[in-house]
Amino acid sequence: MGWDVVQIGLRHNLPVHDPFAMAKEVAKRMNQNVRLVYRNEYKYDKDNNVVSEVNGYELIELGKFEVNNSTDYLQMTVSDYQKKHIQESVGIDNLRKATFVGEFTDLILSDDSFELYEIEDNEETLDIRIFKENVDIDVNIVGRWHWWEEAFHSLSQKNQEWLRNYRMQIYHQAKMFGCQEVIICSDQGPTELIYDNMDYSADNLKEYACSFQYLKDTNLVEKYKKEEWRKNARHITFSSYFQKQLELADGDFIEVIFDDFSDIDNIKNKIDDELIQGCKRFLDDMKRVEFEKKKKEEEERKASKEREARRKYWAQQLYSDKHQTMTIIIPEDSKLKK
């Protein structure tokens, strides 16, 4: 089985402490209907204070959250819903005194689950896992880690387009959950330990990755080879590839990719600023044209009013009683008298 590419979004802004608010928010952000469920894993016998396992796999529906008329629903499973419900109803002190029947039933005493939520679709092609601060954003990469890592060794147009396409998918998925940064690595090999520690805080997980601590902790690389591995394993930023700043020596291989999307955001902000400024200039031009139009209309109105006033004045002067009556004298020999 090949090593898969995984993307861990850091510092999401989801309301993880409230399953119902969470389902509503996920439905809105993903623009898909959501069915909220939990797993029926434990059976508690109150009379005998016994916790046992539930045989089989059963999901209990908590509610549906709809944002469109589709009949398709994402399924969002709350990992610790039943455990917390039993802890709160029984009391953690009483639960510690219980008899546990089954290999893993004592896990009901734990404070936290590894993952808080899991989001799946009907086709089983989507599997997003949400932790306290981080998200396994699950963007499918064709070709797995080998193809992904090898693509960075070439600046061919084909590779650039391939990587840019997947980067933008990661970008949109991460931003949808409020993540401002991602760690991209393999789910196998030494970096498997990064993937296995997604329940860390975002800062601690990034520090764990940056410090190569996972390489010190792993048993997958022999101790005497770890220094050689460390020498050739490269940590890069995604933007360094597109800005042609990435230089790989012979034998170097990319192990972890960090991306804070700053170059994308800067371009988007620049475009947004240009659009805002363009709209402002357009509005200013419209205001200027409207002002000049009103000014011209006002000038024409005043000129028309003045013309009308002059006309009335001379009309009054012409027919006023103040003027003498005109006397016409007709000569004696005029034919008009005959």
Side-chain angles (χ1 to χ4, degrees), residues 28-71:
K28 181 177 72 174
R29 295 194 192 188
M30 299 189 74
N31 193 30
Q32 295 190 60
N33 300 330
V34 170
R35 177 173 174 255
L36 184 66
V37 301
Y38 70 88
R39 297 184 185 91
N40 185 24
E41 301 175 285
Y42 303 103
K43 183 178 180 180
Y44 178 68
D45 181 350
K46 185 177 180 180
D47 294 333
N48 299 302
N49 198 21
V50 174
V51 178
S52 58
E53 294 178 332
V54 174
N55 293 326
Y57 184 84
E58 183 182 13
L59 292 174
I60 309 298
E61 184 176 300
L62 293 169
K64 290 181 177 179
F65 299 80
E66 299 176 344
V67 291
N68 56 51
N69 296 324
S70 173
T71 57

Side-chain angles (χ1 to χ4, degrees), residues 65-89:
F65 299 80
E66 299 176 344
V67 291
N68 56 51
N69 296 324
S70 173
T71 57
D72 293 330
Y73 287 80
L74 295 176
Q75 179 174 284
M76 189 168 81
T77 305
V78 193
S79 300
D80 59 358
Y81 186 85
Q82 187 182 45
K83 179 178 70 175
K84 283 188 174 181
H85 176 72
I86 294 175
Q87 286 179 351
E88 291 170 0
S89 61

Side-chain angles (χ1 to χ4, degrees), residues 299-334:
E299 290 174 349
E300 291 178 350
R301 187 185 66 78
K302 287 182 179 180
S304 177
K305 187 175 180 181
E306 290 175 358
R307 287 195 297 270
E308 181 64 17
R310 287 197 298 271
R311 186 189 66 78
K312 288 182 177 180
Y313 171 79
W314 289 114
Q316 290 173 356
Q317 292 298 317
L318 183 60
Y319 298 105
S320 174
D321 292 339
K322 294 180 180 179
H323 288 73
Q324 294 181 356
T325 302
M326 182 180 295
T327 302
I328 300 175
I329 302 174
I330 301 175
E332 289 294 334
D333 58 350
S334 175

